[in-house]
Amino acid sequence: MKKIFLSIAMVASLFSCSDQLDLVPLSTVTEPTFWKTPDDALSAINGTYRVLQNSNLYGGFFMHSDALTDNAYSHYTFYNYLEISTGSGFDSNSPLPSNLWNINYQGIVRANRVIKEVPNITMDETLKNRIIAESRFLRALFYFNLTTLYGDVPLILNIQTISESLVPRNTKSEVVAQILDDLTFASNNLPTSYSGANIGRATKGAALALKCRVHLFNKQYPETIAAANAVSALGYDLVSAADFPRIFSPALENNNKESIFEVQFLGKTGATPVVLGSNFNSTSGAMTQFGPAPYAPLKELFDIYTTGDIRLGATIIKPTDVFGGQTYTGNLSQTKYSYKKYVIPDATITTDGDANYIVLRYAEVLLSLAEAENELNGPTGAYAPMKKIRNRAGLTDLTAGLTKDNMRAAIKLERRKELAFEGLHYFDLLRYGATDLKEAMDNVTSISGHTRVFQSRFILWPIPQSQRTINPNLTQNTGW
């Protein structure tokens, strides 16, 4: 059910004239004939969702960000995955930091327009509040990405002229406070579910699950627990072991009790390809027709899955596996493995896939609950959520009597196994800090001639030099 995004292609022209302005956070356009009707409001919020599909967000980067960690490898230099992973040839002029900055601010500018203009439209108040809440959820998500990568960033909440936009960076704590305020509003004004053409929009559960993540990343453990419990109270749960691989495919998208928020990809509708498909097939190397894999799981990831863990077969394709009717050889992958999540076993689908990308799911909420319980109260409260995750995976319970440090290590390992290729492992390493990021880089030894060298500055990305040229009030992160 992806009908809400059938209109995105039609509304793209609304924003196309201002996309270049969107790329710099920090400008404004006049739209005198727009913002008049409820349909205008819906078109605008749909256009904000459209940003999520960009290849620098959930259409590529978050899947492939595991190549910046000990989970995966990329020889792809065009967007700096190889340079960032090795720790060389990566600086404030590199494309990827600039692209991530630009696309997140593009989303923020679009959300800000909706938040500013929709209140002035004469329309049903419940629908009006829902659209504003959707915009604030999306703005919170974009700002979460920015604060995790760059730390302090400009907090832009209004439509600005270029002269008004030359502002300094706000502290990360200021931005996080706004993120949480947006998510509180969103959780109070979004419905718990949708039907028909609206399936796929942000829900109350999505706002609470993102709130849980934001609290955890900022070490606000009581609030993490409260948000996790609020998500659980809405009825979310883990799917069965048999259904686990299917939640990453069109078979169960938007239709299972575990997935909380997904980025919608239309892919092929009937016999006609559309422009809103994903390219996860084309970068996987999983089938001969897909071509060589620029991104591939590392042996270091394969080796952490123990015998009987059903997540291995749902995450990685290994030699001799049969996928899409073909026996996989690994010849198209420099690591001899391919990622399996979000890959459709159809040789005719390359860059027009229709597998949604899951941004938030209940398994992450349980793992966040376990981590917050351990950090706040010690290991006792962490056992129950960990049991649910491990038992679904086919694993036994954790050993009783673990210390707080041992439980912390167990939770980190479980997050890595459960959430591989879901855009979280790299973000986790950044929040864990220098010791964990260095260890992850040092651990990668399975690729001949590929060496990763840690530097302490890697905990935060550089502020793009292109932005500092536009706005001299932007300071640079330490070491860049």
Side-chain angles (χ1 to χ4, degrees):
M1 297 294 292
K2 305 181 183 184
K3 295 179 183 176
I4 66 167
F5 294 103
L6 289 173
S7 63
I8 289 180
M10 294 183 287
V11 303
S13 60
L14 163 67
F15 294 100
S16 62
C17 66
S18 60
D19 274 354
Q20 293 305 308
L21 292 176
D22 285 341
L23 293 179
V24 181
L26 304 164
S27 48
T28 186
V29 296
T30 300
E31 295 158 348
T33 63
F34 200 67
W35 307 113
K36 302 294 185 183
T37 70
D39 284 344
D40 291 343
L42 287 167
S43 294
I45 186 58
N46 287 353
T48 309
Y49 280 105
R50 175 70 176 89
V51 176
L52 300 175
Q53 299 166 328
N54 188 275
S55 62
N56 290 294
L57 287 174
Y58 302 97
F61 171 76
F62 279 97
M63 161 72 84
H64 302 139
S65 65
D66 273 30
L68 308 179
T69 77
D70 47 350
N71 277 1
Y73 168 77
S74 175
H75 62 272
Y76 198 23
T77 62
F78 184 72
Y79 284 122
N80 306 124
Y81 285 96
L82 180 61
E83 290 87 347
I84 296 174
S85 68
T86 60
S88 62
F90 167 52
D91 58 32
S92 61
N93 290 303
S94 298
L96 199 55
S98 180
N99 293 347
L100 266 292
W101 179 283
N102 289 342
I103 195 60
N104 279 289
Y105 272 113
Q106 180 181 334
I108 289 164
V109 168
R110 292 189 181 191
N112 284 344
R113 288 174 180 162
V114 174
I115 293 165
K116 175 181 182 292
E117 301 290 353
V118 168
N120 300 321
I121 298 176
T122 301
M123 60 186 294
D124 176 80
E125 288 298 316
T126 300
L127 178 59
K128 177 186 292 188
N129 285 336
R130 192 202 82 193
I131 290 172
I132 295 169
E134 289 177 78
S135 296
R136 293 188 68 169
F137 167 82
L138 293 170
R139 183 170 71 179
L141 180 59
F142 295 130
Y143 269 124
F144 170 76
N145 294 337
L146 288 167
T147 56
T148 304
L149 291 170
Y150 305 96
D152 301 345
V153 295
L155 180 59
I156 310 299
L157 301 176
N158 302 298
I159 302 303
Q160 299 174 318
T161 64
I162 291 176
S163 61
E164 291 170 341
S165 71
L166 303 181
V167 296
R169 299 158 71 188
N170 292 77
T171 65
K172 180 179 179 180
S173 61
E174 290 174 323
V175 182
V176 168
Q178 181 61 49
I179 291 171
L180 293 172
D181 185 66
D182 280 346
L183 293 174
T184 296
F185 181 90
S187 66
N188 289 335
N189 289 278
L190 289 172
T192 56
S193 64
Y194 295 93
S195 61
N198 287 313
I199 291 176
R201 297 186 183 277
T203 61
K204 180 182 184 74
L208 290 170
L210 182 55
K211 199 173 188 181
C212 179
R213 182 189 291 178
V214 173
H215 283 309
L216 181 72
F217 271 60
N218 289 278
K219 299 182 178 181
Q220 299 166 342
Y221 300 123
E223 294 84 356
T224 303
I225 294 169
N229 288 334
V231 174
S232 298
L234 294 175
Y236 291 99
D237 202 352
L238 300 181
V239 300
S240 67
D243 278 343
F244 177 72
R246 301 176 70 222
I247 64 175
F248 306 104
S249 74
L252 286 183
E253 63 187 21
N254 296 326
N255 187 31
N256 69 84
K257 59 187 176 181
E258 182 168 347
S259 181
I260 301 174
F261 182 67
E262 305 175 11
V263 175
Q264 309 289 304
F265 288 100
L266 284 170
K268 289 185 173 179
T269 57
T272 306
V274 296
V275 297
L276 301 177
S278 65
N279 67 349
F280 304 135
N281 277 23
S282 68
T283 58
S284 69
M287 298 184 71
T288 303
Q289 291 85 349
F290 299 162
Y295 309 94
L298 282 164
K299 184 177 185 295
E300 285 79 1
L301 175 63
F302 181 88
D303 287 346
I304 68 172
Y305 292 98
T306 54
T307 301
D309 193 329
I310 61 101
R311 295 170 298 189
L312 173 59
T315 304
I316 297 174
I317 306 172
K318 68 182 188 303
T320 74
D321 284 352
V322 176
F323 184 79
Q326 297 180 7
T327 299
Y328 180 79
T329 65
N331 291 339
L332 294 174
S333 167
Q334 291 187 285
T335 70
K336 301 303 180 183
Y337 302 105
S338 286
Y339 61 78
K340 191 173 184 180
K341 288 180 178 177
Y342 307 111
V343 181
I344 301 169
D346 184 336
T348 69
I349 296 175
T350 54
T351 58
D352 50 4
D354 59 349
N356 290 349
Y357 192 82
I358 298 174
V359 179
L360 297 161
R361 66 181 175 98
Y362 188 61
E364 182 202 346
V365 173
L366 288 175
L367 289 164
S368 297
L369 175 61
E371 183 174 341
E373 281 284 0
N374 186 56
E375 297 300 329
L376 185 66
N377 303 313
T380 302
Y383 275 95
M386 286 288 280
K387 175 182 176 67
K388 290 182 179 179
I389 294 291
R390 289 177 58 83
N391 288 178
R392 195 265 298 271
L395 305 180
T396 58
D397 297 348
L398 290 172
T399 303
L402 291 180
T403 66
K404 185 175 186 177
D405 287 344
N406 288 341
M407 179 61 80
R408 182 184 299 118
I411 293 168
K412 288 180 179 180
L413 179 61
E414 215 61 51
R415 285 182 68 91
R416 186 180 172 197
K417 291 188 290 186
E418 179 73 26
L419 304 172
F421 300 106
E422 296 183 48
L424 281 168
H425 186 46
Y426 183 57
F427 273 25
D428 277 344
L429 290 173
L430 294 180
R431 73 179 173 96
Y432 294 155
T435 299
D436 286 78
L437 183 58
K438 182 180 187 303
E439 181 181 351
M441 295 179 73
D442 291 345
N443 282 346
V444 178
T445 60
S446 62
I447 302 295
S448 177
H450 178 72
T451 302
R452 301 185 176 189
V453 180
F454 172 78
Q455 297 180 46
S456 59
R457 64 179 181 166
F458 294 160
I459 293 299
L460 289 175
W461 278 17
I463 305 300
Q465 185 55 47
S466 58
Q467 292 297 321
R468 298 189 68 217
T469 299
I470 294 169
N471 180 6
N473 293 315
L474 293 176
T475 56
Q476 185 55 275
N477 280 327
T478 301
W480 296 102

